[in-house]
């Protein structure tokens, strides 16, 4: 069957009434998650896994997986829309990927053009969503065909590249990022070894046999870490929210932002495809690029609409692009895609090159639903933006305890153990301390998910080569991947030696 | 960046790495028939972590102590909420979801800002009952709702 035929089948799945509903709920919650500071796309997706698992429990496995992933992915890209709202209205980004939007977005709001900024952000995100989907459709087949040629050695090197990319870009100190990566890999070895069936580091505790649940650790490190931080250090109440005013952008606004939206979408998409680089980086690059392209760069920072349109398109395109390595190679490039991958594995569906052959309805259903979801988001975000802006006003004193309670519910409803709740709390403290001291936690979570797969492929490759490590260097593709991985770590290091500052990549 | 934290973190992670390498020696021999047993990967990771921690410790001697102006830290508030969360976790199974969630929310809301009892009670009740009935009754998920007598 041709790609087009598959895409049509995907649409027939996305247009089933329950999947339309799932996509709608996903993007709605996603927008709310994006608007609320303190709860990012990563924890939002993680917390919804038990809920979707329960709702879909009656369905056949594949349909259930398709519906769940449609909802969860909706949360992911929905958050990219919502994140801009607080940046523009409050000057506080709801997500790290909307940090640069504050620069010009808030200035526009102060000039009474908040409505125009918000709608341009929504239009840009929509255009970017469509661009990234076209890219996804075009690249999915060829990439998974390439990936089918991969043996264990290539897979190992590819995953190493993913980890190197995340560590190389995360946080201020690469040493700390690498430590977190290795620590995550170590946590992943706890439990029964999948190859030999031998229990490792379990100390005869039955609860440890299945390993540490990544969901618990991710929610603890991200959601609770952030909540604890706010409880401990909340310095002041948030400022006043700017008035939205006229929502539709003027003809002039549209004209000025058309090109930045296109550039941002393409740039964001390609940055998103790279493992490790994420929406945050994409929006930073887009802002810098727009400033370079602009005829009036001095206007940036004082309310230039291009400074909103470019980065907002880029971060949304990046979230679409990030789906590519996940779906075609089975390798998550960011924290949030790692959680999406965990959700798929829960349904016994392994993302990767075989996904498009074995479970076309999941893969293409998801892709098609992203078209539908983006359209919904555009409709939701234009007229309803005032309603979402109200969510910002949720008082923190109610919000924070409720986030703790939701995390408890989310973890308990999947794991059913008190142990996981205590682990969750411990991870919350750990997350707070680590992040406060510039130890990035995203590499830890990614490493925890990738760990067992990396080890598996490492050992399979070494078994093939009779314990000879040269196998990773003699296979050309594997060698190239390893060289790229090394470059990813060494180039930022060299730039740092030259005294340049490097853009940070945080949770996305 | 806190120098003391980085130093202690360096030492702790160094010990974790060391522990991992030592404990990996105890992993039983595999019957899998390969030279590459289940201990190779953990030993490798432990060694890398030791090297990285040493590198971090070395770095802490090189940079100047950062001057971070930190606001007042609300330990008391945090301590109350955290310990009630621990109790919440411990009592969730024996007392059931609804009661523990309700109590936790009431304590946490009042700790965040005391007063406005009506709002506190309404939100805590709505959340604890709402989540339970929506999830367990309406969606058919399983959650221990109330204590079993």
């Amino acid at each position: 069957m041709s790609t087009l035929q598959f895409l049509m089948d995907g649409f027939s799945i996305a247009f089933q009434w329950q999947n339309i509903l799932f996509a709608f709920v996903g993007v709605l919650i996603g927008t709310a998650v994006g608007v609320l500071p303190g709860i990012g796309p990563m924890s939002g997706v993680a917390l919804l896994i038990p809920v979707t698992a329960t709702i879909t429990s009656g369905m056949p496995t594949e349909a259930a997986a398709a519906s769940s992933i449609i909802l969860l992915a909706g949360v992911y890209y929905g958050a990219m829309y919502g994140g801009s709202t607080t940046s523009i209205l409050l000057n506080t980004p709801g997500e790290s990927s909307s940090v640069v939007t504050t620069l010009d977005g808030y200035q526009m709001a102060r000039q009474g053009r908040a409505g125009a900024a918000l709608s341009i952000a929504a239009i840009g995100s929509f255009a970017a969503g469509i661009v990234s989907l076209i890219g996804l459709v075009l690249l999915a087949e060829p990439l998974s065909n390439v990936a089918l040629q991969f043996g264990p050695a290539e897979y190992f090197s590819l995953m190493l590249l993913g980890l190197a990319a995340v560590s190389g870009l995360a946080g201020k100190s690469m040493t700390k990022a690498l430590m977190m990566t290795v620590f995550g890999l170590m946590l992943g070895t706890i439990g029964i070894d999948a190859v030999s069936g031998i229990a490792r580091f379990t100390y005869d505790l039955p609860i440890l046999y299945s390993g540490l649940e990544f969901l618990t650790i991710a929610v603890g490190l991200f959601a609770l870490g952030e909540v604890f931080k706010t409880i401990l250090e909340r310095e002041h109440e948030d400022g006043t929210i700017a008035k939205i005013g006229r929502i539709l952008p003027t003809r002039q606004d549209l004209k000025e932002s058309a090109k930045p939206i296109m550039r941002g979408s393409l740039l964001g998409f390609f940055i998103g495809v790279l493992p490790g680089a994420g929406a945050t980086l994409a929006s930073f690059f887009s802002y810098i690029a727009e400033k370079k392209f602009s005829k009036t760069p001095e206007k940036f920072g004082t309310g230039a609409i291009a400074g909103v349109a470019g980065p907002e398109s880029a971060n949304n395109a990046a979230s679409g692009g990030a789906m590519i390595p996940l779906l075609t190679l089975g390798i998550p490039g960011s924290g949030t895609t790692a959680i999406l991958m965990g959700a798929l594995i829960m349904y016994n569906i392994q993302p990767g090159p075989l996904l498009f052959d074995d479970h076309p309805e999941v893969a293409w259903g998801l892709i098609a639903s992203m078209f539908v979801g983006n359209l919904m988001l555009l409709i939701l975000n234009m007229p309803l933006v005032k309603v979402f802006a109200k969510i910002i006003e949720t008082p923190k004193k109610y919000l924070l305890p409720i986030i703790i309670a939701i995390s408890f519910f989310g973890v308990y409803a999947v794991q059913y153990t008190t142990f996981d709740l205590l682990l969750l709390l411990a991870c919350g403290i750990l997350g707070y301390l680590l992040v406060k001291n510039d130890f990035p936690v995203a590499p830890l979570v990614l490493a925890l998910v990738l760990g067992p797969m990396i080890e598996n492929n490492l050992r399979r490759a070494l078994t093939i080569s009779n314990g000879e490590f040269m196998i990773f260097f003699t296979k050309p593709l594997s060698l190239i991947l390893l060289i790229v991985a090394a470059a990813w770590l060494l180039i930022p290091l060299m730039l740092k030696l030259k005294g340049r500052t490097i853009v940070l990549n945080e949770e996305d | 960046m806190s120098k003391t934290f980085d130093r202690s973190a360096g030492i702790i992670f160094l010990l974790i790495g060391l522990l991992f390498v030592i404990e990996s020696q105890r992993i039983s021999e595999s019957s899998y028939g390969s030279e590459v047993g289940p201990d190779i990967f953990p030993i490798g990771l432990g060694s890398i972590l030791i090297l990285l921690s040493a590198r971090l410790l070395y770095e802490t001697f090189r940079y100047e102590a950062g001057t971070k102006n930190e606001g007042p830290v609300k330990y008391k508030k945090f301590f109350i909420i955290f310990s009630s969360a621990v109790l919440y976790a411990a009592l969730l199974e024996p007392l059931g979801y609804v009661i523990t969630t309700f109590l936790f929310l009431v304590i946490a809301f009042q700790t965040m800002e005391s007063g406005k009892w009506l709002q506190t009670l309404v939100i805590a009740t709505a959340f604890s009952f709402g989540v339970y009935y929506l999830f367990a009754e309406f969606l058919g998920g399983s959650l221990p709702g109330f204590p079993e007598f």
Side-chain angles (χ1 to χ4, degrees):
Chain A
M1 271 197 288
S2 67
T3 307
L4 207 62
Q5 180 64 42
F6 275 122
L7 188 63
M8 286 303 132
D9 288 350
F11 269 106
S12 70
I13 289 161
F15 278 123
Q16 285 167 2
W17 68 269
Q18 80 269 26
N19 288 340
I20 290 186
L21 189 69
F22 271 56
F24 179 73
V25 172
V27 296
L28 193 67
I29 294 177
T31 312
V33 159
V35 171
L36 287 173
I39 185 158
M42 189 147 161
S43 16
V45 173
L47 289 175
L48 278 172
I49 288 179
V51 180
T52 52
T54 320
I55 300 176
T56 55
S57 61
M59 302 188 197
T61 320
E62 277 199 347
S67 299
S68 298
I69 202 77
I70 283 172
L71 194 156
L72 297 173
V75 176
Y76 181 30
Y77 55 79
M80 297 293 156
Y81 279 74
S84 57
T85 311
T86 42
S87 294
I88 292 167
L89 294 180
L90 258 181
N91 204 18
T92 24
E95 313 306 330
S96 56
S97 55
S98 299
V99 172
V100 283
T101 313
T102 56
L103 299 176
D104 281 291
Y106 186 64
Q107 291 303 324
M108 284 183 72
R110 286 181 61 181
Q111 296 159 14
R113 289 158 72 206
L118 287 169
S119 57
I120 279 297
I123 294 170
S125 298
F126 175 73
I130 300 305
V131 167
S132 68
L133 277 167
I134 295 171
L136 194 57
V137 170
L138 292 179
L139 281 177
E141 272 305 296
L143 256 181
S144 44
N145 286 338
V146 172
L148 280 178
Q149 319 284 321
F150 280 23
E154 283 85 2
Y155 261 112
F156 172 77
S157 306
L158 183 63
M159 284 188 256
L160 218 55
L161 167 62
L163 287 180
V166 173
S167 317
L169 294 168
K172 290 181 186 146
S173 150
M174 196 188 291
T175 315
K176 291 177 177 177
L178 286 173
M179 282 171 72
M180 289 292 97
T181 310
V182 175
F183 188 55
L185 288 172
M186 285 163 68
L187 290 180
T189 63
I190 294 175
I192 302 259
D193 167 33
V195 181
S196 61
I198 288 169
R200 292 187 294 186
F201 310 110
T202 53
Y203 302 100
D204 293 326
L205 297 169
I207 200 107
L208 287 178
Y209 282 140
S210 56
L212 298 177
E213 175 63 35
F214 90 100
L215 185 71
T216 311
I217 293 187
V219 174
L221 289 175
F222 283 95
L224 284 197
E226 184 70 32
V227 169
F228 290 167
K229 177 176 185 262
T230 323
I231 295 176
L232 279 162
E233 296 174 3
R234 181 175 58 155
E235 25 348 298
H236 54 85
E237 283 295 327
D238 294 329
T240 44
I241 296 168
K243 279 227 158 41
I244 294 175
R246 178 193 149 93
I247 287 177
L248 285 178
T250 59
R251 196 171 286 262
Q252 178 69 17
D253 287 337
L254 282 174
K255 218 176 116 192
E256 276 177 35
S257 42
K259 277 184 184 161
I261 286 176
M262 278 325 288
R263 281 193 291 259
S265 305
L266 290 173
L267 186 73
F269 175 73
F270 286 109
I271 292 180
V273 174
L274 299 174
T280 311
L281 203 63
S283 60
F284 268 103
F285 276 151
S286 166
Y287 190 81
I288 296 165
E290 286 314 319
K291 212 169 170 176
K292 282 236 167 80
F293 276 115
S294 172
K295 285 187 197 108
T296 52
E298 67 277 2
K299 271 193 178 174
F300 276 75
T302 61
I305 199 156
V308 176
E312 276 304 313
S313 314
N315 69 29
N316 208 55
S319 74
M323 291 290 176
I324 289 194
L326 172 70
L327 294 177
T328 59
L329 306 173
I331 293 175
S334 69
T336 318
T337 42
I339 291 181
L340 288 177
M341 173 157 167
L344 282 174
I345 291 174
M346 264 176 58
Y347 287 99
N348 206 14
I349 283 174
Q350 177 72 43
L354 291 174
L355 178 74
F356 286 85
D357 287 329
D358 291 350
H359 308 283
E361 56 271 66
V362 177
W364 290 104
L366 170 65
I367 292 175
S369 87
M370 286 173 74
F371 274 106
V372 181
N374 270 295
L375 194 65
M376 286 177 184
L377 278 168
L378 183 66
I379 298 168
L380 273 177
N381 274 271
M382 299 276 276
L384 290 182
V385 74
K386 288 182 180 169
V387 180
F388 282 117
K390 284 266 178 262
I391 298 179
I392 306 174
E393 292 167 16
T394 317
K396 284 214 175 91
K397 59 170 179 164
Y398 296 125
L399 187 64
L400 297 176
I402 283 181
I403 294 179
I404 300 181
I406 294 177
S407 312
F408 265 57
F409 165 76
V411 166
Y412 192 79
V414 169
Q415 295 301 112
Y416 299 114
T417 60
T418 307
F419 169 78
D420 272 272
L421 293 179
L422 296 173
L423 180 66
L424 174 77
L425 287 171
C427 285
I429 300 229
L430 197 67
Y432 165 69
L433 287 175
L434 289 175
V435 171
K436 189 178 153 75
N437 292 287
D438 302 317
F439 285 85
V441 286
L444 196 163
V445 174
L446 191 62
L448 183 65
V449 174
L450 287 181
M453 293 195 291
I454 289 189
E455 182 180 14
N456 222 329
N457 283 298
L458 171 75
R459 281 161 68 182
R460 276 166 54 199
L462 287 180
T463 307
I464 293 171
S465 70
N466 278 324
E468 195 60 61
F469 275 93
M470 281 310 286
I471 186 172
F472 299 110
F473 301 106
T474 49
K475 298 225 173 193
L477 204 54
S478 162
L479 180 67
I480 293 172
L481 291 169
L482 285 178
I483 291 174
V484 178
W488 213 297
L489 292 179
L490 292 176
I491 289 172
L493 214 60
M494 273 163 17
L495 286 177
K496 223 173 233 177
L497 282 181
K498 282 187 180 170
R500 292 239 208 123
T501 46
I502 298 150
V503 193
L504 305 180
N505 191 25
E506 284 154 30
E507 177 194 8
D508 55 35
Chain B
M1 231 176 274
S2 147
K3 222 172 188 171
T4 17
F5 183 89
D6 281 1
R7 261 184 212 159
S8 22
I11 293 169
I12 291 170
F13 279 114
L14 191 86
L15 291 177
I16 293 177
L18 209 60
L19 197 75
F20 235 71
V21 173
I22 296 169
E23 286 293 297
S24 300
Q25 318 289 336
R26 292 192 358 193
I27 294 175
S28 28
E29 273 297 307
S30 153
S31 55
Y32 173 59
S34 160
E35 304 168 41
V36 211
D39 52 346
I40 295 249
F41 194 59
I43 290 179
L45 290 176
S47 325
I48 298 174
L49 190 63
I50 292 174
L51 292 177
L52 286 171
S53 311
R55 161 92 201 167
L56 181 69
L57 285 173
Y58 167 71
E59 279 174 9
T60 57
F61 288 102
R62 286 185 55 201
Y63 61 70
E64 291 299 307
T67 44
K68 217 176 191 178
N69 41 348
E70 291 183 19
V73 182
K74 292 159 184 149
Y75 286 115
K76 196 180 154 204
K77 221 177 224 185
F78 174 75
F79 182 74
I80 298 174
I81 293 182
F82 186 76
S83 22
S84 44
V86 172
L87 278 177
Y88 179 21
L91 296 175
L92 190 111
E93 275 177 5
L95 283 184
Y97 182 79
V98 178
I99 296 174
T100 46
T101 307
F102 174 78
L103 288 177
F104 169 74
L105 285 180
V106 169
I107 295 171
F109 288 156
Q110 287 299 321
T111 314
M112 291 298 290
E113 198 179 307
S114 53
K116 290 194 182 166
W117 276 94
L118 185 70
Q119 278 192 32
T120 296
L121 292 176
V122 169
I123 296 177
T125 314
F127 184 87
S128 49
F129 277 91
V131 168
Y132 177 70
Y133 281 100
L134 199 68
F135 183 72
E137 304 289 323
F138 180 64
L139 296 175
S142 71
L143 203 62
F146 297 94
E148 286 173 29
F149 294 109

